[in-house]
mmCIF file with all atom_site columns, all heavy atoms in Angstrom:
data_model
loop_
_atom_site.group_PDB
_atom_site.id
_atom_site.type_symbol
_atom_site.label_atom_id
_atom_site.label_alt_id
_atom_site.label_comp_id
_atom_site.label_asym_id
_atom_site.label_entity_id
_atom_site.label_seq_id
_atom_site.pdbx_PDB_ins_code
_atom_site.Cartn_x
_atom_site.Cartn_y
_atom_site.Cartn_z
_atom_site.occupancy
_atom_site.B_iso_or_equiv
_atom_site.pdbx_formal_charge
_atom_site.auth_seq_id
_atom_site.auth_comp_id
_atom_site.auth_asym_id
_atom_site.auth_atom_id
_atom_site.pdbx_PDB_model_num
ATOM   1  N N   . SER B 1 205 ? 25.892 38.684 -35.619 1.00 98.00 ? 205 SER B N   1
ATOM   2  C CA  . SER B 1 205 ? 27.315 38.190 -35.720 1.00 98.00 ? 205 SER B CA  1
ATOM   3  C C   . SER B 1 205 ? 27.366 36.894 -36.544 1.00 98.00 ? 205 SER B C   1
ATOM   4  O O   . SER B 1 205 ? 26.248 36.454 -36.965 1.00 98.00 ? 205 SER B O   1
ATOM   5  C CB  . SER B 1 205 ? 27.787 37.890 -34.349 1.00 98.00 ? 205 SER B CB  1
ATOM   6  O OG  . SER B 1 205 ? 29.193 37.686 -34.478 1.00 98.00 ? 205 SER B OG  1
ATOM   7  N N   . GLY B 1 247 ? 34.008 38.021 -30.714 1.00 98.00 ? 247 GLY B N   1
ATOM   8  C CA  . GLY B 1 247 ? 32.923 37.813 -29.895 1.00 98.00 ? 247 GLY B CA  1
ATOM   9  C C   . GLY B 1 247 ? 32.039 36.645 -30.457 1.00 98.00 ? 247 GLY B C   1
ATOM   10 O O   . GLY B 1 247 ? 32.545 35.424 -30.348 1.00 98.00 ? 247 GLY B O   1
ATOM   11 N N   . GLY B 1 249 ? 32.061 36.682 -33.739 1.00 98.00 ? 249 GLY B N   1
ATOM   12 C CA  . GLY B 1 249 ? 33.160 36.452 -34.842 1.00 98.00 ? 249 GLY B CA  1
ATOM   13 C C   . GLY B 1 249 ? 33.095 37.187 -36.101 1.00 98.00 ? 249 GLY B C   1
ATOM   14 O O   . GLY B 1 249 ? 33.455 36.737 -37.105 1.00 98.00 ? 249 GLY B O   1
ATOM   15 N N   . SER B 1 250 ? 32.148 38.222 -36.091 1.00 98.00 ? 250 SER B N   1
ATOM   16 C CA  . SER B 1 250 ? 31.915 38.879 -37.431 1.00 98.00 ? 250 SER B CA  1
ATOM   17 C C   . SER B 1 250 ? 33.012 39.897 -37.874 1.00 98.00 ? 250 SER B C   1
ATOM   18 O O   . SER B 1 250 ? 33.314 39.918 -39.073 1.00 98.00 ? 250 SER B O   1
ATOM   19 C CB  . SER B 1 250 ? 30.505 39.575 -37.432 1.00 98.00 ? 250 SER B CB  1
ATOM   20 O OG  . SER B 1 250 ? 30.501 40.731 -36.535 1.00 98.00 ? 250 SER B OG  1
ATOM   21 N N   . ASN B 1 251 ? 33.472 40.693 -36.954 1.00 98.00 ? 251 ASN B N   1
ATOM   22 C CA  . ASN B 1 251 ? 34.569 41.686 -37.570 1.00 98.00 ? 251 ASN B CA  1
ATOM   23 C C   . ASN B 1 251 ? 35.760 40.872 -37.778 1.00 98.00 ? 251 ASN B C   1
ATOM   24 O O   . ASN B 1 251 ? 36.511 41.291 -38.830 1.00 98.00 ? 251 ASN B O   1
ATOM   25 C CB  . ASN B 1 251 ? 34.731 42.766 -36.580 1.00 98.00 ? 251 ASN B CB  1
ATOM   26 C CG  . ASN B 1 251 ? 35.730 42.459 -35.418 1.00 98.00 ? 251 ASN B CG  1
ATOM   27 O OD1 . ASN B 1 251 ? 36.948 42.666 -35.566 1.00 98.00 ? 251 ASN B OD1 1
ATOM   28 N ND2 . ASN B 1 251 ? 35.264 42.021 -34.187 1.00 98.00 ? 251 ASN B ND2 1
ATOM   29 N N   . SER B 1 393 ? 37.343 47.560 -34.462 1.00 98.00 ? 393 SER B N   1
ATOM   30 C CA  . SER B 1 393 ? 35.954 47.215 -34.885 1.00 98.00 ? 393 SER B CA  1
ATOM   31 C C   . SER B 1 393 ? 35.028 48.359 -34.442 1.00 98.00 ? 393 SER B C   1
ATOM   32 O O   . SER B 1 393 ? 34.039 48.488 -35.117 1.00 98.00 ? 393 SER B O   1
ATOM   33 C CB  . SER B 1 393 ? 35.561 45.929 -34.302 1.00 98.00 ? 393 SER B CB  1
ATOM   34 O OG  . SER B 1 393 ? 35.724 45.951 -32.980 1.00 98.00 ? 393 SER B OG  1
HETATM 35 C C1  . LIG C 2 .   ? 32.781 47.348 -31.590 1.00 52.77 ? 501 LIG C C1  1
HETATM 36 C C2  . LIG C 2 .   ? 32.492 45.771 -31.373 1.00 52.77 ? 501 LIG C C2  1
HETATM 37 N N1  . LIG C 2 .   ? 33.444 44.991 -31.737 1.00 52.77 ? 501 LIG C N1  1
HETATM 38 C C3  . LIG C 2 .   ? 33.422 43.696 -31.725 1.00 52.77 ? 501 LIG C C3  1
HETATM 39 C C4  . LIG C 2 .   ? 32.167 43.082 -31.274 1.00 52.77 ? 501 LIG C C4  1
HETATM 40 C C5  . LIG C 2 .   ? 32.067 41.661 -31.224 1.00 52.77 ? 501 LIG C C5  1
HETATM 41 O O1  . LIG C 2 .   ? 31.317 40.953 -32.157 1.00 52.77 ? 501 LIG C O1  1
HETATM 42 P P1  . LIG C 2 .   ? 31.957 40.166 -33.507 1.00 52.77 ? 501 LIG C P1  1
HETATM 43 O O2  . LIG C 2 .   ? 32.947 39.247 -32.987 1.00 52.77 ? 501 LIG C O2  1
HETATM 44 O O3  . LIG C 2 .   ? 30.824 39.631 -34.128 1.00 52.77 ? 501 LIG C O3  1
HETATM 45 O O4  . LIG C 2 .   ? 32.645 41.218 -34.331 1.00 52.77 ? 501 LIG C O4  1
HETATM 46 C C6  . LIG C 2 .   ? 31.121 43.969 -31.100 1.00 52.77 ? 501 LIG C C6  1
HETATM 47 C C7  . LIG C 2 .   ? 29.809 43.356 -30.674 1.00 52.77 ? 501 LIG C C7  1
HETATM 48 O O5  . LIG C 2 .   ? 29.002 44.007 -30.122 1.00 52.77 ? 501 LIG C O5  1
HETATM 49 C C8  . LIG C 2 .   ? 31.289 45.428 -31.034 1.00 52.77 ? 501 LIG C C8  1
HETATM 50 O O6  . LIG C 2 .   ? 30.329 46.160 -30.710 1.00 52.77 ? 501 LIG C O6  1
#
Side-chain angles (χ1 to χ4, degrees):
Chain B
S205 192
S250 69
N251 86 86
S393 55

